[in-house]
Amino acid sequence: MSFVIETKDLKKEYGSKGVSFPALDGVDLSVDKGEFLGIMGPSGAGKTTLLNLLSTVDKPTSGKILFEGLDLGAMKDKELAKFRRNNVGFIFQDFNLLDNMSVEDNIALPLALSKVNHKEIGQKVLELSTFFGIDLHLKKYPYQLSGGQKQRVAAARAMITSPSVIFADEPTGALDSKSSAELLQCLSSMNERYRTTVIMVTHDAFAASYCKKILFLKDGKIHARLDKNESRKELFHRILDLLAAMGGNTNELF
């Protein structure tokens, strides 16, 4: 089987020689196409570091990252930037929308920067805004939206280039429980409908329960894995149990 992403002995150290510490210490993982993968673990476990490496925002100290068999470490910076633009979408905790642009223009921005035909952009904006339930807000500005609506705009923008992988860094961190559930249902439906691979870092067991597979990091290593083979409610309780066993104190993990 070919994987959309594969890592081999992935390591990342910060600091200088003699005063360095490992953020990731030999991570091997493989992500299937169409996967909805959650990454969890206590603070400092290496979750965001791993996300940054997989998304090519940062480079590993050693080890390999393969994207559909392509060695990303062999690419120069300009090649990586082009690769990222064509293959990767991002959803951030704080939305990262431009307040001086309408919702419509925020969603369209990645395609506009790539000089895609105006008619094609309009069709894709309408399709995705309808899918995410924000089509009635296209002429509004981000400051006129709720947090949940903003994050769905961000998700539509991430999807506009039809990326192979969406990276979501704590996407529900700034949302209330109702908005979180709505966004997660959208991400789950997007994953099913468009077969887009989603890799999500989260500290929230409720958010992780929407994933098909969850990796738990501890001290820069993969400590455990859960696969979804039951109801979301049952998976939620398994996640809580595993987090408690890992940290001995769930307050540290949430």
Side-chain angles (χ1 to χ4, degrees):
M1 171 181 280
S2 60
F3 302 106
V4 64
I5 292 178
E6 198 173 1
T7 73
K8 298 180 179 180
D9 197 25
L10 198 62
K11 296 182 180 181
K12 180 66 178 179
E13 293 184 359
Y14 291 106
S16 55
K17 289 183 179 179
V19 198
S20 63
F21 71 93
L24 287 180
D25 188 14
V27 171
D28 295 304
L29 66 81
S30 54
V31 183
D32 295 330
K33 181 171 177 56
E35 186 71 85
F36 191 163
L37 174 67
I39 301 173
M40 301 193 77
S43 178
K47 303 184 296 295
T48 297
T49 297
L50 179 58
L51 195 76
N52 288 341
L53 295 181
L54 296 180
S55 62
T56 75
V57 170
D58 198 3
K59 294 183 178 181
T61 303
S62 63
K64 280 192 174 186
I65 303 172
L66 305 176
F67 188 95
E68 295 180 346
L70 187 68
D71 184 358
L72 298 184
M75 290 186 181
K76 292 182 166 47
D77 288 343
K78 283 188 177 180
E79 292 175 307
L80 276 176
K82 183 179 180 182
F83 166 84
R84 198 159 46 238
R85 189 168 62 245
N86 294 336
N87 295 282
V88 171
F90 293 94
I91 304 174
F92 302 96
Q93 180 176 330
D94 57 359
F95 320 126
N96 280 20
L97 301 177
L98 297 174
D99 282 331
N100 62 341
M101 294 176 67
S102 68
V103 166
E104 182 176 23
D105 288 342
N106 264 284
I107 297 171
L109 184 59
L111 290 186
L113 291 173
S114 297
K115 300 181 180 178
V116 173
N117 176 275
H118 183 73
K119 185 178 179 181
E120 183 181 339
I121 292 176
Q123 289 172 341
K124 292 210 72 173
V125 168
L126 182 58
E127 177 192 348
L128 287 169
S129 63
T130 302
F131 178 79
F132 284 104
I134 48 174
D135 51 307
L136 299 180
H137 304 291
L138 288 176
K139 300 303 180 184
K140 293 182 180 178
Y141 288 81
Y143 65 85
Q144 297 174 295
L145 304 182
S146 69
Q149 289 167 338
K150 288 180 185 178
Q151 198 58 298
R152 279 182 276 149
V153 172
R157 181 186 58 188
M159 277 293 295
I160 196 76
T161 58
S162 303
S164 299
V165 184
I166 293 282
F167 292 97
D169 192 0
E170 300 283 4
T172 62
L175 305 181
D176 59 39
S177 57
K178 181 175 181 293
S179 296
S180 294
E182 289 172 351
L183 174 71
L184 290 162
Q185 186 55 58
C186 282
L187 291 180
S188 182
S189 298
M190 176 189 79
N191 171 251
E192 293 292 337
R193 175 173 171 177
Y194 294 101
R195 294 291 293 160
T196 304
T197 304
V198 181
I199 300 178
M200 177 174 70
V201 162
T202 183
H203 69 283
D204 182 6
F206 175 77
S209 69
Y210 280 81
C211 298
K212 295 175 181 174
K213 181 169 71 178
I214 307 159
L215 298 179
F216 297 83
L217 297 187
K218 186 174 182 180
D219 300 326
K221 297 176 181 288
I222 295 176
H223 180 80
R225 165 182 161 174
L226 286 180
D227 292 296
K228 186 174 187 177
N229 49 25
E230 70 271 272
S231 72
R232 194 174 59 75
K233 184 176 180 180
E234 290 170 324
L235 179 60
F236 171 74
H237 289 293
R238 287 177 65 205
I239 294 167
L240 288 180
D241 290 344
L242 184 49
L243 289 173
M246 283 176 62
N249 177 6
T250 53
N251 291 328
E252 176 193 345
L253 297 149
F254 295 92

